[in-house]
């Protein structure tokens, strides 16, 4: 069970429901559990597919991961990815009918395209950012007024993906600057869309994630920064939700952050 939780990055999934909540808030829709569940299932699918796709390279660079360590078979990982994808699409259809299925289908297609090829190309970070942006739009029911919020979440995710590429060999100064620029873009988009949005928590979390990289951007510090950056999505989502007039939901999101941080120390998320 622990190996399966590592495979799907279970703690990191706490950063996913906030996408749909932020999208719903931006679109003026009620926050509902079904889109959040659909997006979480698709996230788990992407994580399992990621490790299945990387299993040969991980045997060299990340032998502690579930597949190269022998704790999870490649067939089980691929079946998990397919099963979670199917369950996510079905949940989206139950939630919003054909519209929900269409949005979830776009998200699932982006996830599989990224894991099966795009992540190894220069467009990889942009493809990952698109996955998170589509996640926000799933919660918004495709409403155009949620696009700035989707772009903010996508910008932060772009920075995570840029850093993630340096988890094996370490980060260069330009990589760190690029990740910081992505975070600054995310904060600016939320501030522009929701003047007065409480972004202090997001800025503080990002600063903590990048602090170790300034003095020593070795692989271990990069992995730590990636884990913290994933959890930094929660205060960013909370700021967007609060900025759209839903402070109670924002507080609920922030309450999940310490739990997610504790889980990420117990179960590997990178």
């Amino acid at each position: 069970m622990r190996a399966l939780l590592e495979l799907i990055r279970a703690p990191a999934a706490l950063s996913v429901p906030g996408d749909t909540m932020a999208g719903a808030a931006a679109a003026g829709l009620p926050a509902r559990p079904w889109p959040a569940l659909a997006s979480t299932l698709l996230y788990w699918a992407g994580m399992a597919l990621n490790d299945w796709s990387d299993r040969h390279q991980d045997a060299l660079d990340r032998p502690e991961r579930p597949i190269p360590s022998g704790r999870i078979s490649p067939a089980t990982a691929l079946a998990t990815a397919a099963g979670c994808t199917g369950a996510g699409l079905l949940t989206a259809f139950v939630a919003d009918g054909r519209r929900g299925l269409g949005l979830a289908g776009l998200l699932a297609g982006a996830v599989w395209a990224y894991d099966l090829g795009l992540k190894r190309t220069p467009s990889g970070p942009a493809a990952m950012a698109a996955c998170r942006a589509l996640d926000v739009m799933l919660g918004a029911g495709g409403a155009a007024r949620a696009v700035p919020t989707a772009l903010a979440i996508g910008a932060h995710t772009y920075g995570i993906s840029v850093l993630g590429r340096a988890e094996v060999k370490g980060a260069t100064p330009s990589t760190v600057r690029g990740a910081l620029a992505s975070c600054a873009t995310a904060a600016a988009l939320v501030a522009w869309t929701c003047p007065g949005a409480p972004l202090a928590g997001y800025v503080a979390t990002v600063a903590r994630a990048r602090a170790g990289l300034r003095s020593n951007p070795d692989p271990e510090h990069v992995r730590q920064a990636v884990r913290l950056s994933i959890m930094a999505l929660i205060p960013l989502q909370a700021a967007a939700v609060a900025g759209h007039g839903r402070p109670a939901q924002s507080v609920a999101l922030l309450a999940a952050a310490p739990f997610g941080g504790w889980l990420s120390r117990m179960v590997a998320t990178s």
Side-chain angles (χ1 to χ4, degrees):
M1 180 58 69
R2 184 183 179 88
L4 183 60
L5 292 176
E6 288 184 23
L7 178 74
I8 62 175
R9 314 297 196 275
L14 287 173
S15 71
V16 177
D19 287 346
T20 56
M21 291 174 67
L29 299 173
R32 297 173 298 150
W34 296 112
L37 177 58
S39 67
T40 299
L41 287 164
L42 292 175
Y43 182 87
W44 285 339
M47 293 299 99
L49 187 63
N50 172 80
D51 279 19
W52 179 85
S53 178
D54 287 352
R55 64 193 186 280
H56 299 303
Q57 189 62 41
D58 283 345
L60 301 174
D61 298 331
R62 306 291 297 276
E64 73 280 2
R65 279 185 164 175
I67 296 177
S69 67
R71 292 175 293 148
I72 292 286
S73 71
T76 297
L78 186 59
T80 299
C84 286
T85 299
L89 293 173
L90 178 61
T91 302
F93 178 73
V94 169
D96 285 319
R98 291 183 179 179
R99 180 180 62 181
L101 180 61
L103 290 167
L106 287 174
L107 175 55
V111 167
W112 280 72
Y114 172 81
D115 280 332
L116 294 182
L118 289 179
K119 69 179 174 182
R120 299 179 182 86
T121 71
S123 62
M128 175 62 79
C131 291
R132 278 284 187 168
L134 285 168
D135 207 22
V136 176
M137 297 306 293
L138 177 62
R145 55 181 168 170
V147 169
T149 300
L151 291 176
I153 301 295
H156 179 83
T157 305
Y158 184 92
I160 295 174
S161 186
V162 167
L163 272 183
R165 291 186 163 204
E167 285 185 323
V168 174
K169 296 182 178 180
T172 64
S174 62
T175 297
V176 177
R177 287 194 297 270
L180 284 172
S182 298
C183 294
T185 300
L189 281 166
V190 172
W192 170 63
T193 308
C194 314
L199 285 161
Y202 171 66
V203 173
T205 307
V206 168
R208 182 185 169 204
R210 305 296 187 265
L213 297 179
R214 284 194 286 269
S215 59
N216 188 3
D218 66 0
E220 181 56 36
H221 282 89
V222 170
R223 291 172 192 174
Q224 181 181 6
V226 169
R227 288 192 292 269
L228 287 170
S229 296
I230 291 172
M231 299 317 298
L233 276 163
I234 295 177
L236 179 63
Q237 295 157 346
V241 169
H244 284 101
R246 300 184 180 182
Q249 292 181 19
S250 176
V251 170
L253 276 173
L254 290 174
F259 182 59
W262 176 77
L263 280 178
S264 68
R265 290 189 293 271
M266 300 295 292
V267 179
T269 55
S270 64

